[in-house]
Amino acid sequence: MRIGIIGSGHIGGTLTRRLRDLGHDVTVANSRGPESLRDLAAETGATPGTVDQAARSGDLVVVAVPLKAVPQLPPAAFEGRVVVDANNYYPQRDGDVPEIADRSVTSSRWTADHLKGARLVKAFNNIQAQHLLEKGRPAGAPDRIALPVAADDEEAKRLVMEVVDALGFDPVDAGTLDGSWRQQPDTPVYGTDRDVEGVRQGLAEVRP
């Protein structure tokens, strides 16, 4: 696939490396511009680009930037795209976002509201970057980590679940964007590297 990645930090950089290893055509962007991505591009063979170029170039686009940066993204560039929201809300970094803080909306619903027209899917937000880089396993391996995937668009969700599987993790259907609070920070599945049954149990047992 053609994949755009917005963000070159821990998760964005890791997904650039892993998805290039799988042979995908990756365009990566960050807020500092293509020149700042020379080393990552040289290492991985990814194409450095602007945010607009990365978003428009992809059959799939990953957003892995601090949540506070989402309102600065150009919504038109994401129109109709399958967009993976790999973000989390961290008040100490992102400041006060009242509607997320009081749980009126999930961070993914908030992001979807800013990127209207995007087919948003929540994934890759609950795993440490180093584990995403190193702990992918073949299907059926006893130590394969499972990752929750949430979306309102079932076709988009299936596509992202296929990518999760190709990266070496078991995808677990985690429901809708409004239910994606179950995989946000401070929940049983956040950063705990559970298997399929463990993720399903964690999603079921968590309380608001």
Side-chain angles (χ1 to χ4, degrees):
M1 286 190 295
R2 295 173 303 163
I3 298 176
I5 297 181
I6 316 297
S8 58
H10 295 304
I11 294 295
T14 295
L15 284 172
T16 299
R17 293 176 176 91
R18 292 295 321 279
L19 291 167
R20 280 294 299 142
D21 285 345
L22 293 177
H24 296 292
D25 181 357
V26 175
T27 299
V28 61
N30 63 17
S31 61
R32 299 184 300 281
E35 287 296 315
S36 69
L37 295 164
R38 280 185 173 182
D39 290 347
L40 182 62
E43 174 195 340
T44 63
T47 301
T50 65
V51 169
D52 195 80
Q53 287 169 339
R56 294 183 187 276
S57 70
D59 304 308
L60 178 76
V61 183
V62 178
V63 173
V65 299
L67 183 130
K68 65 182 178 182
V70 167
Q72 280 72 59
L73 297 176
F78 296 86
E79 183 82 29
R81 310 283 179 185
V82 176
V83 176
V84 179
D85 171 23
N87 296 342
N88 289 303
Y89 173 52
Y90 300 114
Q92 66 274 23
R93 179 195 66 187
D94 300 314
D96 184 30
V97 183
E99 58 268 47
I100 301 178
D102 69 12
R103 300 188 178 184
S104 297
V105 297
T106 62
S107 63
S108 283
R109 177 63 65 197
W110 184 88
T111 298
D113 287 343
H114 282 283
L115 301 179
K116 289 194 182 298
R119 303 167 66 190
L120 205 80
V121 182
K122 183 77 163 185
F124 301 118
N125 71 298
N126 74 310
I127 185 171
Q128 296 178 36
Q130 198 68 24
H131 294 185
L132 182 59
L133 181 66
E134 298 175 348
K135 294 195 173 184
R137 299 289 186 267
D143 58 344
R144 205 180 202 217
I145 295 168
L147 300 180
V149 182
D152 298 338
D153 184 318
E154 291 297 325
E155 184 181 22
K157 184 191 292 184
R158 282 195 299 274
L159 175 63
V160 175
M161 291 177 80
E162 289 172 4
V163 172
V164 169
D165 182 51
L167 287 167
F169 302 91
D170 283 326
V172 174
D173 190 331
T176 66
L177 291 183
D178 288 334
S180 64
W181 60 270
R182 294 179 175 87
Q183 66 195 75
Q184 292 178 169
D186 302 319
T187 64
V189 303
Y190 181 77
T192 51
D193 292 345
R194 295 184 175 206
D195 63 10
V196 170
E197 289 309 312
V199 167
R200 287 176 177 158
Q201 180 182 354
L203 293 172
E205 72 187 13
V206 67
R207 296 291 177 263

